[in-house]
Amino acid sequence: MIEVKNLSKRFRISSTRAARKSAAPPADSAAADRRQHDGWFKAVSDVGFACQNGEVLGLLGPNGAGKTTTLRLLSTALAADSGSVMLDGVDLLKEPQMARQKIGFLSGSTGLYGRLSTRENVEYFGRLHRMAPAQLKARIDDLFTLLNMHDFAERRADQLSTGMKQKCAIARAVVHHPAVVILDEPTTGLDVMAAQTLLDFIASYKVLGIPLIFSTHHLHEVEKLCDRVCIINHGRTAFFGSLAELRHRAGRHELVDAFVRVIEEEQ
């Protein structure tokens, strides 16, 4: 189980950007981002949720709500200002090296080494995690089967399609058998068949008993896969619970209507 409490992160607004803001016409107060104050932008403030072993948690929210920042904080790609991320009794924010060993993280901008083949990209990260050669080979064969990657295993990464690159990036993220998997919009830009393969891969983690968190704008993916959801708006947790609880709170049966209702309540 991974448990996130009171997570927060702010960024200093550059003087150049602040000057442009002051020179611009006054914005509608209802449309202005209330997270900007006194030269700081509070990207995330007081975010909290939990994901049990064998659960899939969907992280939802409008563009710019703070989802990607939250996931980057969990992976220690960014340092949090406050809060905790507990896994097996350890606060990963205080133990970033352990976090990188325990978490498999796919960023929305994860790049591949273009001159390496698909297999070599995944092998490289397995070796970074000090996996034994025989163990690494077996793991790669299993992942390439699960993600339908054998046909392009030896192709250079800079010659891969968008879907092939995404599969390679996911295999690379989980090659070391992480205790938690975090995926930032893993199906964005993929065709139907590639997206379905990735959704099946996500579902397989329930059987393995491993917590998996993924952000998405596709609510049909949430409906199909997620045990619970966390909705983030303006950098804060607006809702955390099961899909049934979300529908009950919003008074809406359709998931998209329930999501919109929660966001509207936060405005």
Side-chain angles (χ1 to χ4, degrees), residues 44-75:
V44 171
S45 56
D46 195 25
V47 165
F49 54 83
C51 187
Q52 302 282 346
N53 294 341
E55 272 192 350
V56 174
L57 172 72
L59 197 63
L60 309 178
N63 286 332
K67 302 185 300 297
T68 292
T69 300
T70 296
L71 296 184
R72 287 174 64 82
L73 291 171
L74 265 59
S75 72

Side-chain angles (χ1 to χ4, degrees), residues 129-146:
H129 284 284
R130 300 180 181 178
M131 297 179 68
Q135 178 194 20
L136 179 56
K137 183 181 183 304
R139 175 62 169 165
I140 289 175
D141 286 344
D142 287 344
L143 286 173
F144 281 25
T145 297
L146 284 170

Side-chain angles (χ1 to χ4, degrees), residues 4-11 42-48 69-70 73 78-84 93 235:
V4 178
K5 290 185 177 179
N6 308 121
L7 202 60
S8 69
K9 178 67 177 180
R10 65 177 185 169
F11 298 94
K42 296 181 179 179
V44 171
S45 56
D46 195 25
V47 165
T69 300
T70 296
L73 291 171
L78 288 174
D81 294 331
S82 62
S84 63
L93 298 185

